[in-house]
Amino acid sequence: MDLSDGLNYTVKEPNVSWNPEKKQFLCCLFKFFEKDLTAYKAVFDSVYEDDLRTFGFTHGVKESTLNTQWHDLRRSSHFEWGEVHLSPFDKDGRWSPFIAAIRRTLATLRIDLPEKARDDIDTSTFDPTLHTSSQPTSVSSNHLNTALSKYGGKECFWCVQERVNEEYIQARNKPREYTTGKGILEPLLYRWSNVDSQGVNNKNLYIAGLFVDWDKYFSPDMISQEKFDEYFSNHIHRKEVSSPFISTFKSMLAPVHRAVRNQEGAIISIIESKKLGDLVYSARGFCQKHQLRIGRYNGGGEYLIWGKVPSDAIICSFKVSTLKQIADEHDDIAEILQLRTIASYKHNQRSLKDALEKRGGYLDHTSGTIIGKLLSLLQVPFEFSGEVGIGMYYSWRLRKRGGPGKAFQEGLNACY
DNA sequence: CGAAGAGATATGACCAGAAA
DNA sequence: TTTCTGGTCATATCTCTTCG
């Protein structure tokens, strides 16, 4: 018997130890980078070099193994597969550490692997009811674990499993309610926050309180409609619990009103809604569906964003102290803004709007010029100045009837 | 009792060949 | 070619039994 041949038959290539991290890493390659198994292999081998050597690999993992593994994860609706592929296509989001590692490795290896500009992975075959998980999901892990440790019996496991499955079926089959849908959604949303706001509130990034530890992120697809409604309801009832949502408003007046009344470090941001995908929900829609009123609040004008507002969706941010300073330095701006009047009203309601109206109307060209000056001082990019300016025109009641005319736009443009 | 062991069952990694 | 699918084999986990 030829010994070397014999070795080839008996010495089997080792198996990859697919822990959750490696699965996520592999899925990130497929999700964010153009498909090229040779490049995927090079990156994977390099990143997990030590680990692979420990398990006995000498020439890295075969391309086919990576491909099969990814398809297997998809076929079995594996937890990590869903985690990566059902999450928003956001390169600055939860998967950014993986993406950064991949980019670094590609640069080191001098491999030119294009990144995808959008998600092209078909997730329609993903069935959460089948989903095999190495880690229970964040949603149901508590129920599952307590039930198991409490009773330990097979019957109980299955009844719990049944309920978990039901949650998933509901989550999948029911289209998510209250979503604003394309076309209806306001192009711009405004956000107010201060030092007391929960979550991460930066000038260029917002993260909801529940996801401050971004590793714990889950998409709304991963939870039931009931759970989603509970989060939504808690949020609009302003309950003191961590929320997966970020509040925004379609009008700039609402956040300005809150900001001038709660000045401590208040920031106002302007957000471009189309960069948020479909993770924006109308509070009005929710209140209508559930016939809900909280005092006089009916959700009008408020939109909740799930998870985070990535930096590329934030057009600009300014501190309310900057706004006040500008008003102090420019009488015409102060006269239009009426920050003191706004601050004197407890609620942003009819009476505040009436009070703003009392100031009297402006000629369109005049108001356009003043608003334009303000927006340029606040460094609102020119391309959004029209949208923001017109919004302010209505909110601040710059003329009693009708919309802004051509002269308003001309006045606005004159300042940039 | 509870620890240890044996057997049964489930899961994970992967291949080879079919299908597209 | 690439992608999908049925099946194998090894290992992990569960369940039941035995024995000190």
Side-chain angles (χ1 to χ4, degrees):
Chain A
M1 189 170 76
D2 187 320
L3 196 63
S4 64
D5 266 354
L7 275 176
N8 285 340
Y9 288 119
T10 52
V11 177
K12 203 175 159 289
E13 265 294 289
N15 287 351
V16 180
S17 160
W18 287 102
N19 59 16
E21 185 200 304
K22 288 203 199 77
K23 290 173 189 168
Q24 290 165 343
F25 188 90
L26 179 68
C27 289
C28 283
L29 276 167
F30 276 80
K31 182 178 176 107
F32 295 105
F33 295 83
E34 291 298 340
K35 183 152 187 198
D36 177 345
L37 285 168
T38 314
Y40 287 3
K41 170 192 157 53
V43 172
F44 192 90
D45 285 349
S46 172
V47 169
Y48 293 105
E49 195 184 354
D50 293 343
D51 190 85
L52 293 174
R53 204 184 302 119
T54 312
F55 282 92
F57 285 89
T58 46
H59 304 290
V61 184
K62 283 193 277 185
E63 281 112 326
S64 64
T65 303
L66 294 178
N67 197 29
T68 308
Q69 180 60 19
W70 184 80
H71 278 92
D72 269 356
L73 294 177
R74 171 155 86 170
R75 176 164 50 151
S76 58
S77 291
H78 204 90
F79 179 75
E80 281 80 12
W81 197 95
E83 241 187 330
V84 173
H85 289 292
L86 295 182
S87 68
F89 189 81
D90 177 7
K91 292 181 185 172
D92 301 316
R94 178 178 177 187
W95 309 111
S96 61
F98 286 132
I99 296 170
I102 295 167
R103 285 177 183 148
R104 270 199 309 276
T105 311
L106 286 168
T108 312
L109 299 174
R110 295 174 195 284
I111 297 173
D112 184 28
L113 178 62
E115 293 185 19
K116 289 183 184 174
R118 57 186 185 81
D119 207 346
D120 60 357
I121 302 289
D122 176 17
T123 57
S124 63
T125 57
F126 187 84
D127 182 353
T129 62
L130 292 176
H131 115 337
T132 50
S133 94
S134 49
Q135 287 173 335
T137 75
S138 50
V139 188
S140 32
S141 58
N142 287 344
H143 301 291
L144 200 60
N145 289 341
T146 48
L148 277 176
S149 57
K150 235 181 182 169
Y151 307 108
K154 191 167 188 174
E155 205 183 313
C156 186
F157 170 80
W158 288 111
C159 76
V160 170
Q161 194 63 47
E162 185 83 61
R163 204 183 49 71
V164 169
N165 285 348
E166 255 173 39
E167 275 186 352
Y168 276 119
I169 292 165
Q170 282 169 354
R172 248 192 107 66
N173 293 347
K174 269 196 227 161
R176 185 70 64 197
E177 309 278 345
Y178 337 117
T179 186
T180 48
K182 270 189 188 149
I184 310 163
L185 181 56
E186 306 295 324
L188 297 181
L189 294 168
Y190 301 87
R191 157 91 179 153
W192 160 82
S193 65
N194 76 357
V195 289
D196 295 325
S197 306
Q198 58 163 286
V200 172
N201 295 280
N202 278 331
K203 273 190 166 184
N204 50 18
L205 174 71
Y206 287 106
I207 296 178
L210 189 62
F211 301 131
V212 166
D213 182 359
W214 193 250
D215 280 350
K216 306 247 166 72
Y217 176 86
F218 51 88
S219 81
D221 290 331
M222 304 286 275
I223 60 171
S224 67
Q225 182 75 44
E226 284 70 23
K227 189 72 194 162
F228 181 87
D229 287 355
E230 188 188 323
Y231 279 130
F232 208 107
S233 174
N234 283 345
H235 188 98
I236 59 177
H237 278 92
R238 318 280 170 219
K239 289 212 175 136
E240 298 275 329
V241 290
S242 288
S243 170
F245 293 106
I246 297 162
S247 276
T248 60
F249 300 88
K250 70 173 183 184
S251 144
M252 190 161 133
L253 183 59
V256 165
H257 173 253
R258 288 180 191 216
V260 293
R261 287 187 64 87
N262 303 277
Q263 289 193 25
E264 193 62 35
I267 305 174
I268 292 165
S269 293
I270 307 177
I271 295 160
E272 194 181 4
S273 63
K274 73 174 183 205
K275 297 269 173 69
L276 300 168
D278 55 359
L279 296 173
V280 189
Y281 304 90
S282 156
R284 183 93 187 92
F286 183 86
C287 290
Q288 279 174 341
K289 168 96 197 295
H290 295 267
Q291 301 186 327
L292 193 67
R293 284 186 88 87
I294 305 159
R296 283 192 186 165
Y297 174 84
N298 64 4
E302 183 164 0
Y303 291 84
L304 303 193
I305 297 169
W306 180 273
K308 77 174 226 171
V309 181
S311 48
D312 71 333
I314 300 177
I315 294 163
C316 70
S317 294
F318 52 86
K319 290 187 209 153
V320 71
S321 56
T322 309
L323 188 68
K324 282 194 72 179
Q325 197 188 336
I326 292 171
D328 288 343
E329 289 166 6
H330 303 269
D331 291 345
D332 50 353
I333 291 176
E335 212 172 291
I336 273 201
L337 281 181
Q338 298 192 80
L339 294 179
R340 221 164 275 136
T341 309
I342 294 171
S344 69
Y345 283 82
K346 200 171 167 194
H347 298 291
N348 173 23
Q349 286 166 353
R350 183 83 228 164
S351 51
L352 168 57
K353 303 210 161 95
D354 289 343
L356 287 174
E357 229 167 62
K358 279 206 194 95
R359 172 240 300 110
Y362 281 81
L363 288 172
D364 276 0
H365 191 271
T366 314
S367 57
T369 312
I370 301 170
I371 294 288
K373 184 162 86 176
L374 171 65
L375 297 184
S376 86
L377 287 167
L378 289 173
Q379 299 181 339
V380 176
F382 177 69
E383 56 172 315
F384 298 104
S385 64
E387 195 70 51
V388 177
I390 289 166
M392 291 188 71
Y393 185 95
Y394 285 110
S395 297
W396 265 264
R397 297 288 195 264
L398 294 180
R399 203 173 58 184
K400 294 209 174 186
R401 266 180 214 90
K406 213 172 147 197
F408 179 81
Q409 193 68 50
E410 283 167 7
L412 206 61
N413 294 348
C415 298
Y416 273 87

